Amino acid sequence: FDYLVRMNSAQISRRRAVTRAGLLFGAALAVDQFAPSAPAAEPAPVSKTARPFIFSLNMATIQGQKLGIEKEIQIAGAAGYDAIEPWISSIDEYVKAGGKTTDLKKQIADLGLTVESAIGFSEWLAEDDTRRARGMEQAKRDMELVAQIGGKRMAAPPAGATDVVGMNPLKAAERYRALLETGDQIGVIPELELWSFSKSLGHLSECVEVAVQCSHPRACILNDIFHLYKSGSDYRGLAVVNGRAAAVMHMNDYPAAPPREKIDDSYRVYPGDGVGPLTDILRLLRETGGQRVLSLEVFNRDYWKQDALEVAKTGLAKMKRVAEISEQ
């Protein structure tokens, strides 16, 4: 995390940008410890908005079953999730087959779900001007689809520039700001996604730098347990990222073998089934404030061979268990 530590007093504008981007520590919530005692009764359910974490299903987890977006939504509701994180490609397929986004929005709402994020791969960061312009048009269309089903955010991975080495962070920040401004017009927030295999935005510190430098009030980062590990990013760096600027965390875990340099997405396992410091990470998320969306994203080929509802239920139970342990 030395990349960010070497800031000196001459970098005042950077610190101001940090404030505007919402990347400072959040305030803790006080708890009233003096409520009068009452007879024992069944505890009232805690509302979704009052909880530190809400639980989401990223549809990659059941992607291999090839169910289609409607069935995926049904499974998320039946399994007991609070929210979903659909893939734009699945929404596209649904619309091309004659489906209406208004019907999807109603289905999601009727099941008590929200769309906290969505996954797209527009090449908004491409170096080539023509390619990047096409990527921005795709991003605009993707965000419009997300808005039509009631979505709040959309992942913005460094697609189109994955193999670019040493990209100037100011240039990346300028492009990310343009994407954010497009999102402002639509009502969807693009989240700068950490991709460990990106040669310029593959480390937490690089993503934070771009989010800071873009100087936009809704700049934010989409983190991922696996990518933090694969990139060699120290998870304790999350302590400097306020919850408002990193609302969504992709939840998964990873085994001790193969080693970091050889592991890939297919080795992801359920939270708590690997060796990742998940409880420590969730404690840090609590400390930095804001409500967090924990979105189960597991590309495990063995899970894709199993019943999708059972996979969804198992993943939710394991996420909740990790969250409970993090409270201790």
Side-chain angles (χ1 to χ4, degrees):
F1 209 70
D2 290 342
Y3 186 86
L4 294 179
V5 174
R6 294 192 298 270
M7 293 192 294
N8 57 36
S9 59
Q11 294 173 304
I12 300 300
S13 62
R14 228 191 227 178
R15 292 190 179 120
R16 289 174 180 166
V18 172
T19 302
R20 287 194 297 269
L23 294 171
L24 297 177
F25 287 109
L29 296 175
V31 179
D32 184 359
Q33 299 179 354
F34 302 102
S37 59
E42 285 294 321
V46 179
S47 71
K48 186 187 298 187
T49 56
R51 290 190 267 127
F53 301 122
I54 63 175
F55 300 96
S56 173
L57 178 63
N58 181 300
M59 297 312 182
T61 304
I62 53 173
Q63 193 175 66
Q65 285 88 339
K66 302 186 184 303
L67 303 170
I69 184 69
E70 290 177 287
K71 184 63 174 175
E72 290 174 346
I73 294 167
Q74 291 170 16
I75 285 173
Y81 284 84
D82 302 310
I84 60 171
E85 191 175 23
W87 283 44
I88 300 297
S89 56
S90 294
I91 304 173
D92 264 334
E93 289 173 8
Y94 171 80
V95 172
K96 287 175 182 176
K100 297 180 180 179
T101 52
T102 51
D103 292 338
L104 278 187
K105 182 177 181 179
K106 184 177 186 305
Q107 180 190 5
I108 293 164
D110 286 349
L111 289 170
L113 299 166
T114 56
V115 184
E116 294 294 332
S117 183
I119 303 298
F121 299 97
S122 64
E123 295 186 335
W124 62 275
L125 192 59
E127 289 281 64
D128 178 77
D129 291 346
T130 302
R131 188 177 166 193
R132 187 171 65 257
R134 286 198 301 265
M136 287 294 291
E137 281 301 311
Q138 181 186 336
K140 181 176 182 292
R141 178 181 171 278
D142 290 350
M143 285 190 281
E144 286 171 346
L145 280 177
V146 174
Q148 288 166 21
I149 65 170
K152 302 176 183 179
R153 309 174 187 87
M154 186 181 77
T162 305
D163 294 326
V164 176
V165 179
M167 176 179 286
N168 185 328
L170 294 178
K171 183 188 292 185
E174 180 182 342
R175 294 170 187 174
Y176 180 43
R177 183 179 179 88
L179 189 65
L180 284 160
E181 289 172 347
T182 299
D184 287 342
Q185 299 168 18
I186 299 165
V188 172
I189 302 172
E191 310 157 283
L192 186 62
E193 185 174 8
L194 170 66
W195 265 9
S196 58
F197 41 83
S198 170
K199 296 178 180 176
S200 287
L201 286 173
H203 196 277
L204 176 61
S205 62
E206 293 169 331
C207 291
V208 171
E209 172 73 357
V210 170
V212 168
Q213 292 287 7
C214 84
S215 192
H216 188 285
R218 279 170 289 285
C220 58
I221 299 165
L222 172 54
N223 282 309
D224 183 301
I225 300 290
F226 172 83
H227 283 303
L228 285 167
Y229 168 69
K230 176 69 175 174
S231 68
S233 300
D234 191 322
Y235 73 87
R236 285 165 290 200
L238 295 169
V240 302
V241 183
N242 182 277
R244 292 169 298 175
V248 180
M249 169 69 81
H250 282 166
M251 287 293 289
N252 42 66
D253 209 336
Y254 48 85
R260 188 197 308 263
E261 61 272 13
K262 293 184 179 179
I263 202 168
D264 61 37
D265 277 322
S266 67
Y267 287 93
R268 296 182 186 218
V269 294
Y270 292 123
D273 282 5
V275 297
L278 272 64
T279 54
D280 289 339
I281 289 173
L282 294 194
R283 288 186 186 112
L284 268 180
L285 298 189
R286 289 174 184 275
E287 290 170 6
T288 49
Q291 186 178 58
R292 304 302 182 105
V293 179
L294 304 182
S295 188
L296 182 70
E297 187 183 59
V298 181
F299 299 90
N300 191 298
R301 274 58 175 172
D302 289 335
Y303 300 169
W304 287 352
K305 297 174 186 176
Q306 300 170 22
D307 179 76
L309 180 56
E310 285 305 309
V311 169
K313 285 181 175 179
T314 301
L316 178 58
K318 289 179 179 286
M319 272 203 300
K320 286 186 172 181
R321 178 57 182 156
V322 171
E324 288 169 3
I325 296 171
S326 74
E327 292 185 60
Q328 300 171 5

